[in-house]
Amino acid sequence: MKYLTAVHTDAGVGKCTNQDSVLMETADTEYGQVLLGAVCDGMGGLAKGEVASAILVKAFSGWFHKEFPEILYKGMEADAIRNSWTSLILEQNQKISEYGLNCNVSLGTTVAVMLLVDNIYYIMNVGDSRVYYLKEGITQMTVDQTFVQREMDLGKMTLEEARNHPKRNVLLQCVGASSVIEPDFYVGEFERNSVFMMCSDGFRRVIHPEEFYERLNPASMATEEKMKEKAVYFTELNKARREDDNISVVLIRAY
């Protein structure tokens, strides 16, 4: 499997600071090309959210270069990825929390991280950054760890009510600001000529999934230049629709 990629991030309308951090790493191995992507959304409203997201992205980059090769050549057990990532996130949760205490500030970050090896995806999620899969249609791969998602899961709230609820942005946990972290982990197979979209909530909140599929379906993503153009297009569409959060996306086409 090989990949075309595009990354784009923007502070958004009326924001002085971009608290999002994104990561894209690829390497050629005996298993073919492998890819690691991550989107971390520093907490808007929490001081120095950009520091928290940058700390976590740097940690995953280090993991890819130092720890992942050993896991890869031991045979790529899903539990090994889950345990390694969980340990990394818990360690960085403590590190970010201690940084905040020393600086007398509150900070935290979401994380959606994905590893592609051969035809297998491994995804871990804390918070409400998302991963989507586009093939014949568009599928949301992650589940938001938010107040409104929990209420929907319990049957206490509809999707329409969740979209307009005053607590729609309230996270149940985030890295650096939660005493207990329980990441969600997903593993499964994917196909050639498919697309993954990883994004912060500012990229997808005011755009319907079908709008994404119309322009980001695999047939429309023939080159990295076109992929970058589409990432910029949706960023500017978000801003035109008055999305006021930071806006970040990672696009990956497998072929």
Side-chain angles (χ1 to χ4, degrees):
M1 203 77 73
K2 293 185 178 181
Y3 307 101
L4 301 175
T5 64
V7 177
H8 191 64
T9 184
D10 192 287
V13 177
K15 293 285 188 180
C16 298
T17 303
N18 189 348
Q19 296 186 320
D20 291 354
S21 295
V22 294
L23 173 68
M24 172 62 66
E25 299 267 14
T26 60
D28 293 321
T29 73
E30 293 179 7
Y31 290 78
Q33 191 174 50
V34 297
L35 180 148
L36 180 74
V39 174
C40 295
D41 181 355
M43 294 300 95
L46 295 183
K48 295 192 176 181
E50 69 275 14
V51 175
S53 64
I55 287 173
L56 196 50
V57 157
K58 182 178 180 181
F60 271 107
S61 178
W63 176 89
F64 184 72
H65 291 282
K66 297 174 183 177
E67 296 183 42
F68 171 60
E70 182 177 351
I71 295 173
L72 179 66
Y73 291 110
K74 283 184 176 179
M76 283 302 301
E77 293 291 332
D79 283 345
I81 299 294
R82 179 205 284 262
N83 294 337
S84 184
W85 282 357
T86 299
S87 296
L88 183 153
I89 286 173
L90 294 178
E91 180 180 327
Q92 298 307 310
N93 183 59
Q94 182 68 24
K95 180 178 179 179
I96 294 168
S97 177
E98 289 176 355
Y99 174 87
L101 288 173
N102 291 335
C103 297
N104 197 30
V105 297
S106 296
L107 68 163
T109 182
T110 70
V111 59
V113 58
M114 180 175 67
L115 177 70
L116 302 180
V117 180
D118 199 6
N119 67 326
I120 307 296
Y121 66 79
Y122 306 84
I123 298 170
M124 186 164 278
N125 180 61
V126 177
D128 64 352
S129 293
R130 290 182 181 175
V131 180
Y132 291 86
Y133 180 69
L134 297 86
K135 180 63 175 173
E136 304 303 330
I138 182 168
T139 303
Q140 183 179 327
M141 305 290 282
T142 54
V143 178
D144 295 344
Q145 297 177 345
T146 59
F147 170 80
V148 295
Q149 183 65 53
R150 184 180 65 187
E151 294 300 289
M152 286 192 292
D153 291 344
L154 294 172
K156 296 181 179 180
M157 188 180 295
T158 66
L159 178 59
E160 189 60 34
E161 289 171 335
R163 284 174 177 159
N164 300 299
H165 197 279
K167 292 186 178 180
R168 62 186 178 277
N169 295 326
V170 174
L171 299 177
L172 298 181
Q173 58 179 349
C174 67
V175 183
S178 298
S179 57
V180 177
I181 296 287
E182 297 181 357
D184 290 332
F185 184 72
Y186 310 87
V187 60
E189 296 184 0
F190 66 97
E191 300 179 28
R192 291 186 186 275
N193 298 316
S194 59
V195 171
F196 287 96
M197 181 180 83
M198 310 178 70
C199 62
S200 60
D201 62 335
F203 186 79
R204 48 82 181 168
R205 197 156 37 208
V206 297
I207 298 177
H208 198 275
E210 278 65 36
E211 293 181 90
F212 285 130
Y213 185 74
E214 182 180 355
R215 290 179 179 269
L216 301 180
N217 63 78
S220 301
M221 307 272 273
T223 67
E224 291 187 336
E225 290 77 14
K226 288 185 177 180
M227 293 168 65
K228 181 69 173 183
E229 287 174 5
K230 293 171 188 293
V232 173
Y233 167 83
F234 278 115
T235 298
E236 295 307 310
L237 181 60
N238 270 293
K239 292 158 73 174
R241 293 181 180 179
R242 308 308 298 172
E243 171 58 60
D244 61 359
D245 201 355
N246 302 146
I247 302 166
S248 297
V249 63
V250 172
L251 297 174
I252 302 155
R253 183 180 184 272
Y255 68 98

